[in-house]
Amino acid sequence: MAEGFLPQPKNKTMEEVGNDYFLTLVSRSLFQQSNGEEYIMHDLVRDLAKFISKQFALSHEDDFSRGLLGKTRHFSYSWENIHAEKFEALHRAKKLRTFVELHFLRDDLSLVFGTQFLSPMTSLRLRVLILSNYVDITELPDSIGKLIHLRYLDVSFTAIKRLPHFICKLCNLQILNLSHCPYLAALPRDMYKLINLQILNLSHCPKVTAWPRDMHKLINLRHLDFAGTNIMGMPINLGELKCLQTLTSFMVSKNKGSCIEELGKLTNLRGSLPILELQNVESPMNANDGCLRDVKYLEKLAFEWKVGFGASESHKIVLDSLRPHTNLKSLIIYGYGGKSFSNWVGHASFSNIASLRLDYCNHCCSLPMLGQLPSLQDLSIVGLSEVVTVGREFYGIGSSSIKPFGALKVLSIKYMEKLKEWFCFENDGGAFPNLRELEIYECPMLTRGLPIHLPSLAKLRIQDCPQLVAFALCELDLPIHLEYLMLDGCHSFKSIPLDLFPKLRHLEIRFCENLEAIRVQEHHEQDLLLSLINIDIHGCPNFAYFPKEGLRSPNLKEFRIENCRGIRSLPDKMHILLPSLAKLCIQDCPEVESFPEGGLPSNLEEITISDCEKLFARRMEWDLQNFPSVRIFKIVGKSEDVESFPDEGLLPTSLTYLHINGFQHLRSLDSKGLQYLNALEELEIESCPKLECMPEDRLPASLSTLNICNCPLLEKEWERKEGEEWRKIAHVPCKSINFQLI
């Protein structure tokens, strides 16, 4: 679909369509002045802004009388109900300015490109021509080259292979949209003749690999988008495009295109700008001429070097030279090879920076002083593999009276291979007072020293930090706010003290090999865990114990315990202490033999039991008939003695979905076990290689969907679509084998 234009409902008036179109255009940053000036639309967009009083607008459904045609400036059409004779009459509309399709249903493209339409219209003063989404178009007709008044040409989402040279005759063209033309291979050599061109969109044209000559002569160009092309450099003398405001990226290339010096001349650039392939800067001192201090409208900057070039002090010179204007709001530094960052990174004068990322700067030995950035809200430090400590310099303590990281809300520390200690200071000036989320991933040598005072923390994730000792968690000052706790691969933890987190809503513990228990102090048992709604424990082989008195969590909705081969029983008194539990999943817990005394909570809606052989062996003790809320039941097992399933009276009559998986010796479904499932709508059977027949009696009449997967004997019977087995399922509306409808 064309960018900036959406198909409109049939019942909209032309005036409403025009207004919608205009609002869509001005909402795009492509047309917006970031410095507060009014929108610049020029002739085309001013026409659209005033758009379409009824006497100047015409659609294909209107009366094409000569009087109306003489006044018409804007024409819309739909291929649903088109009349060739009306297109032929359009050559009389001498004042026609816009030609827009409202719907994208088209069967006959010959009307567009035959003599019936475009050729007679070349005498008109057409301003707007939108041919987007005509997927059969492979070339443009010569007649378009005669539309010398054209301001806006949109051929996006078409199959054109080239732009003909006559396009360069459209001297008034201001907007050219070529986006999503996958077969377009090149631009015309004389494109520089489009001297009034302001917007050029080449995005997602992968076969375009080079710029046309003299691109720098398009001195009125404001917006240039070439994302998704294979162009590997910049136009020569790019700095002459003084009006340029939007640039997809600036790529530094060796001996090709513009050098880094050209950047400093583009003082009207705004929005975001990634500067890529900085390892190709041949003379680091030349980067001074590419200084961005005068490019005051840029809000987002990314500096990117290719990772893997080794340590290089020339990177430091380049980063020093490319110091941006202090209006910057977002900064990314990726692949930087210097051993230390430039002094301007983290300088307090950058008072507007709200987001900062330092990614894979693999040779830096220390972090920059970031704590004094007063507006910093989101900080990500990833892959700084030479940093050993987080120390005082990170906070900037002593250099200012500002509280370190006073505005920070999200902090991510990831893939720090050598990080051992995070020093905390008794008098740290109240750092991180507003931190809401803290993530620490894959810091295998980190032992202790996380920030202690985190009064606003709501989400804590610690993953693959095996040496982070358990009492480091206990030392954290989280009085009331922690809502999400995720521990993954933290092998030093033996127990999790839930009483430390009275507002906890989500608890996720994964692959903590030495974890043995979740515990609660006895004096907290009566009023604890009121906020908890989700517990997920996965891959903890030594986990064995829940609190002695059970989990008193009246609002818990979901409880999952998977691959915990040491657990022998579920929490006690679940039917009383977990009254809101809706989803229960017990998977690969072979030592669990039964549900707790008193049974399960009565409001359960979904139950999954997988690879729990001892529990499955006592299935007739589950008493699921007393659970009228259960709608979904999933059972996965490897029992070698089960040849027929489900047993009579096993499943609740309220079921609407039943999934049976992995029974290696299952031969048939038990009609007695299914006969009372009068609400069952969907039945799935997977990986039961010996299953060969459906119940002798008819499957439940309520069944609307039946799926089997990896059940070869049954598949063979069904594929014939005849015989006894096919008769048993013929009444089911939707049937599939291995996810293919039959």
Side-chain angles (χ1 to χ4, degrees), residues 502 520-531 552 554:
V520 176
Q521 296 292 336
E522 292 185 6
H523 62 279
H524 284 156
E525 287 175 358
Q526 297 301 315
D527 58 354
L528 195 64
L529 310 180
L530 295 178
S531 300
R552 186 180 300 275

Side-chain angles (χ1 to χ4, degrees), residues 32 125 154 470:
Q32 190 174 1
R125 297 189 174 187
D154 185 346

Side-chain angles (χ1 to χ4, degrees), residues 119-138:
S119 294
M121 289 182 65
T122 55
S123 62
L124 306 181
R125 297 189 174 187
L126 197 66
R127 301 292 209 279
V128 177
L129 180 58
I130 296 179
L131 301 174
S132 176
N133 280 274
Y134 287 96
V135 294
D136 294 333
I137 297 178
T138 58

Side-chain angles (χ1 to χ4, degrees), residues 491-503:
H491 305 317
S492 63
F493 288 83
K494 289 191 174 182
S495 66
I496 305 296
L498 288 185
D499 45 302
L500 292 180
F501 317 114
K503 298 296 182 181

Side-chain angles (χ1 to χ4, degrees), residues 24-88:
T24 302
L25 288 177
V26 298
S27 68
R28 293 172 54 81
S29 61
L30 200 62
F31 294 95
Q32 190 174 1
Q33 291 279 18
S34 298
N35 61 356
E37 297 178 9
E38 296 182 356
Y39 297 113
I40 297 178
M41 296 298 167
H42 303 280
D43 294 344
L44 161 68
V45 184
R46 278 200 296 269
D47 277 353
L48 291 173
K50 298 173 183 177
F51 211 83
I52 313 179
S53 64
K54 186 65 179 176
Q55 59 179 327
F56 297 126
L58 195 65
S59 79
H60 69 282
E61 297 174 347
D62 294 328
D63 177 22
F64 272 39
S65 65
R66 182 174 295 275
L68 280 175
L69 283 171
K71 297 179 180 180
T72 297
R73 287 178 177 266
H74 310 282
F75 176 72
S76 69
Y77 66 99
S78 168
W79 287 105
E80 295 174 5
N81 187 24
I82 198 63
H83 301 289
E85 65 274 9
K86 289 192 173 183
F87 273 107
E88 293 173 359

Side-chain angles (χ1 to χ4, degrees), residues 437-457:
E437 298 183 23
L438 174 60
E439 297 180 329
I440 305 176
Y441 284 8
E442 295 201 29
C443 298
M445 300 184 70
L446 183 63
T447 56
R448 59 164 54 212
L450 300 183
I452 293 177
H453 302 292
L454 301 173
S456 301
L457 196 68

Side-chain angles (χ1 to χ4, degrees), residues 17 146 187 254 258 272 303 309 367 407 621 683 712:
V17 171
K146 299 178 182 179
L187 301 176
K254 290 185 177 180
S258 290
S272 62
F303 298 113
F309 279 81
L367 298 177
E621 300 175 9
L683 174 60

